[in-house]
Amino acid sequence: MSDKNPKRRDFLFTATYAIGVVGIGAVAWPLIDQMNPDASVKALASTEVDVSSVEPGNTITVLWRGKPVFIRRRTQDEITEAKKVKMEELKHPEKDEDRAKDPEWLVMLGICTHLGCVPLNDKGDYNGWFCPCHGSHYDTSGRIRKGPAPTNMEVPKYEFVNANTIKIG
Amino acid sequence: MSDHDYQPSSKLGKWFNDRLPLLTLSNHLAEYPTPKNLNYWWTFGGILTFCLITQIVTGLTLAMHYIADSDLAFASVEHIMRDVNYGWLIRYVHANGASMFFLAVYIHIFRSLYYGSYKSPREVIWIIGMIIYFLMMATAFMGYVLPWGQMSFWGATVITNLFSAIPLIGEGIVAWLWGGFAVDNPTLTRFYALHYLLPFLILGLVVLHIWALHVPGNNNPIGIDIKKPSKDTVPFHPYIVIKDGFALLMFMIVFAFFVFYSPNILGHADNYIEANPMVTPAHIVPEWYLLPFYAILRSIPDKLLGVIAMFAAIFVLVILPWLDTSKIRSAVFRPLYRQFYWILIIDVLILGYVGAMPAEGIYLLVARVATAYYFIHFLIVLPILGYKEKTIPVPLSITEPVLGGSPNLGIIKNKKSLN
């Protein structure tokens, strides 16, 4: 029987396997996708923060989407230091102007881009942040200067709602 | 197992065995011919089985009281410690049991390395063993997250972030693992589900591991192929059962010492502080059994390469049967390999030590040298040694050196007869 019409049989086998694979994929996808961030997690998209009480040289940390966000009111010295760094010295070149819309306020995710620890304020060789987990040093603009982290600390989407309120997200 | 023509003595036994040959299986296990020169390093297979059963039984009972919820998990663990009858005992046995499990598995693995148990025809046993080891690490890691202390939280953050090193899809994978934008409640509930599942997968693999072992039979300290059954073998029961049982008792003394006299010495004090996503502890350290791999990860200043090196450190073990080119199994007859073996052990201990230290200065330098040597041992020393090493002649049977008075005498006699 198989000798009689091999091409027809091959076609049927291939078609059956193909439908089988599609079927398995269709069944597997909901089981895989259920692990992705769910609707209630995504709904917590933005946070408003009152920054009126933050003095120059201080940092506050707020939670946004379960992650810490650093909001630092920088001193004039820190701004000068951040601006005078030459691009060629940076592992991940970004101008300070592009990271801080208002140079006095630096808003960024307080998460080391290496493996996700929270770096410590006012520490490290560049007067910015130091990650205690694996020794990454960040400068006063939150840019990676030394250590295993590949990129600068991420700047989230944020805006000044008014002079005293920052909306993150 | 097809070479069995066992017949149960009772009529009922015969009736049952014809329908499901469980009695044939138990007869095979009891009669299983075992090399008569097995030393105490061979008792760790039985000890590991005990460890797995202990973890499953204590884990099941803990699960009756633990609550996998980021608001309640930490308190529920304290509830187990203070309120539940014998909860402290069950939890301390489970937590220290994980360490004892790894202690035994490391001895078991290094015994294989010394006596060449991973070599042909036992490659499949070895690879299944390595999969078990990998699943053990995953299970232990997820179990450590469940108490929801600071080390739980930040350990989970660091380890899951390893996947963010994968180009392009890394961030998506990490969000998928977390079920959010950071380690949070969805991460805890899925880790709990998987922590419950994986031990049963390990149990299944242990059955395959033993099945694969029973095809060629045990390796032995002189690493030669033996006839089975013969003058060189003894039946598993009662000889090995008694020996394994005695070794298990000794092991349980060590186990009990940790549980009753220093139950927290292998843990970290920071894990008695509830998880706080705003503050990272000053020194994040994984559990001791993961430290050598952690040291390898940190020794490389590039994120992706560090992660690759860490996984490669496990992968070189998987392909070890093909990296070691020597035809001689046991290090007893490999004078050079024996020295490199001890250097490797020292190297792994050094990696473990620097893994617990801050990643800077001299520690970082030592970690880099030790990491380099780890890979040199497996990728350069072992393949070359198989060709260059002048090995000592191997006796033809286990009985031969024994009858010759001492193993060394036997070897010398053998040398003469070969010359």
Side-chain angles (χ1 to χ4, degrees):
Chain A
M1 191 176 154
S2 56
D3 297 338
K4 215 175 174 184
N5 209 339
K7 280 185 183 159
R8 188 157 164 262
R9 214 125 262 268
D10 288 347
F11 172 76
L12 284 173
F13 278 137
T14 310
T16 311
Y17 292 145
I19 294 294
V21 168
V22 171
I24 289 168
V27 171
W29 178 246
L31 297 175
I32 295 167
D33 191 43
Q34 55 83 23
M35 281 174 69
N36 272 316
D38 64 29
S40 70
V41 170
K42 285 182 191 159
L44 304 168
S46 67
T47 305
E48 288 197 5
V49 188
D50 179 6
V51 293
S52 55
S53 58
V54 183
E55 299 290 329
N58 279 346
T59 304
I60 58 166
T61 309
V62 294
L63 264 194
W64 171 65
R65 291 176 156 185
K67 296 178 174 186
V69 174
F70 291 155
I71 300 175
R72 183 170 181 87
R73 188 169 184 179
R74 296 191 294 183
T75 61
Q76 204 52 52
D77 289 352
E78 287 167 351
I79 298 168
T80 322
E81 196 181 331
K83 284 193 190 293
K84 79 174 182 213
V85 176
K86 293 192 190 94
M87 283 301 116
E88 2 354 320
E89 290 172 23
L90 295 173
K91 189 173 180 180
H92 176 197
E94 273 186 318
K95 285 192 185 135
D96 188 57
E97 297 90 284
D98 299 334
R99 291 179 57 79
K101 293 175 205 171
D102 174 350
E104 199 178 4
W105 294 96
L106 178 65
V107 180
M108 62 186 180
L109 288 183
I111 292 178
C112 179
T113 55
H114 182 225
L115 293 173
C117 297
V118 180
L120 304 169
N121 282 318
D122 301 318
K123 290 257 163 61
D125 298 352
Y126 296 88
N127 303 321
W129 284 266
F130 171 71
C131 182
C133 294
H134 307 99
S136 292
H137 298 254
Y138 296 87
D139 66 14
T140 55
S141 187
R143 293 173 296 200
I144 179 67
R145 301 300 291 273
K146 195 172 132 188
T151 57
N152 303 336
M153 280 193 264
E154 192 188 331
V155 176
K157 205 176 129 225
Y158 70 92
E159 58 184 278
F160 280 87
V161 181
N162 56 51
N164 288 331
T165 313
I166 296 177
K167 183 181 165 202
I168 306 164
Chain B
M1 269 182 261
S2 54
D3 53 334
H4 268 262
D5 26 304
Y6 166 75
Q7 286 292 335
S9 49
S10 74
K11 239 182 170 174
L12 179 67
K14 190 175 169 346
W15 177 88
F16 182 80
N17 202 48
D18 286 346
R19 282 149 185 81
L20 179 68
L22 271 186
L23 295 170
T24 303
L25 177 65
S26 69
N27 175 258
H28 161 81
L29 295 176
E31 296 292 319
Y32 172 64
T34 322
K36 67 180 180 185
N37 60 340
L38 294 190
N39 56 33
Y40 274 105
W41 301 114
W42 259 265
T43 60
F44 282 86
I47 288 170
L48 283 161
T49 312
F50 164 81
C51 288
L52 179 61
I53 303 296
T54 304
Q55 292 306 90
I56 288 177
V57 171
T58 52
L60 174 75
T61 44
L62 287 172
M64 295 179 184
H65 305 279
Y66 171 76
I67 303 164
D69 181 291
S70 57
D71 290 332
L72 304 172
F74 188 80
S76 79
V77 171
E78 283 312 301
H79 161 70
I80 289 169
M81 294 301 288
R82 292 153 196 248
D83 304 336
V84 174
N85 300 332
Y86 292 105
W88 60 272
L89 176 66
I90 299 171
R91 176 165 175 262
Y92 276 155
V93 169
H94 195 72
N96 286 283
S99 283
M100 292 300 113
F101 205 161
F102 276 95
L103 175 67
V105 92
Y106 281 124
I107 295 174
H108 195 60
I109 290 171
F110 276 103
R111 188 267 300 163
S112 283
L113 292 182
Y114 190 81
Y115 295 110
S117 301
Y118 49 85
K119 291 188 199 187
S120 174
R122 296 183 181 83
E123 301 96 321
V124 173
I125 311 173
W126 171 259
I127 290 170
I128 293 171
M130 281 298 127
I131 297 170
I132 293 172
Y133 172 51
F134 191 75
L135 287 181
M136 277 174 65
M137 291 196 279
T139 310
F141 157 67
M142 287 192 274
Y144 196 57
V145 174
L146 302 184
W148 212 239
Q150 274 289 64
M151 279 293 161
S152 300
F153 184 91
W154 291 102
T157 299
V158 168
I159 301 294
T160 50
N161 260 308
L162 293 179
F163 294 93
S164 71
I166 302 168
L168 301 174
I169 54 166
E171 297 293 334
I173 289 178
V174 173
W176 178 72
L177 288 173
W178 287 341
F181 305 106
V183 172
D184 210 332
N185 195 49
T187 326
L188 176 61
T189 50
R190 68 191 52 184
F191 276 18
Y192 183 46
L194 293 171
H195 183 69
Y196 210 122
L197 167 72
L198 291 188
F200 294 98
L201 289 186
I202 292 175
L203 187 62
L205 285 165
V206 167
V207 172
L208 293 183
H209 193 61
I210 296 171
W211 185 3
L213 168 70
H214 280 231
V215 176
N218 288 71
N219 185 29
N220 62 77
I222 59 173
I224 56 165
D225 290 322
I226 52 170
K227 276 200 218 97
K228 293 175 295 269
S230 72
K231 276 196 303 186
D232 282 347
T233 66
V234 290
F236 188 78
H237 183 73
Y239 295 94
I240 303 297
V241 170
I242 293 295
K243 189 164 185 162
D244 277 3
F246 179 71
L248 179 59
L249 280 175
M250 294 296 119
F251 184 79
M252 283 160 87
I253 291 173
V254 177
F255 198 141
F257 173 82
F258 280 107
V259 170
F260 293 107
Y261 292 94
S262 51
N264 287 309
I265 198 167
L266 298 169
H268 201 292
D270 274 351
N271 222 29
Y272 284 99
I273 304 169
E274 193 169 0
N276 179 358
M278 307 275 260
V279 181
T280 307
H283 289 289
I284 296 199
V285 195
E287 293 279 79
W288 68 267
Y289 39 80
L290 301 176
L291 286 173
F293 297 108
Y294 193 60
I296 291 173
L297 168 76
R298 295 196 305 181
S299 72
I300 292 173
D302 180 90
K303 182 172 168 180
L304 180 60
L305 289 180
V307 173
I308 289 173
M310 190 184 73
F311 283 103
I314 301 168
F315 187 70
V316 289
L317 288 172
V318 176
I319 58 169
L320 175 62
W322 295 275
L323 292 174
D324 185 346
T325 52
S326 175
K327 295 272 181 285
I328 306 295
R329 291 200 191 98
S330 175
V332 170
F333 305 105
R334 300 184 61 191
L336 275 177
Y337 173 70
R338 205 157 58 217
Q339 290 172 26
F340 282 112
Y341 172 86
W342 289 111
I343 295 171
L344 178 72
I345 289 208
I346 293 165
D347 186 63
V348 171
L349 291 176
I350 290 172
L351 279 173
Y353 175 73
V354 293
M357 294 293 128
E360 54 202 28
I362 183 77
Y363 297 121
L364 194 58
L365 181 70
V366 172
R368 284 180 180 159
V369 173
T371 298
Y373 183 76
Y374 181 90
F375 286 104
I376 288 170
H377 175 90
F378 287 107
L379 297 175
I380 297 172
V381 173
L382 285 189
I384 294 175
L385 210 54
Y387 296 108
K388 298 282 178 201
E389 188 176 27
K390 198 165 163 1
T391 56
I392 299 167
V394 173
L396 296 171
S397 76
I398 295 172
T399 313
E400 186 193 43
V402 175
L403 293 181
S406 80
N408 290 337
L409 248 179
I411 292 160
I412 293 159
K413 230 172 61 178
N414 209 0
K415 214 182 248 170
K416 277 180 192 153
S417 67
L418 281 177
N419 295 343

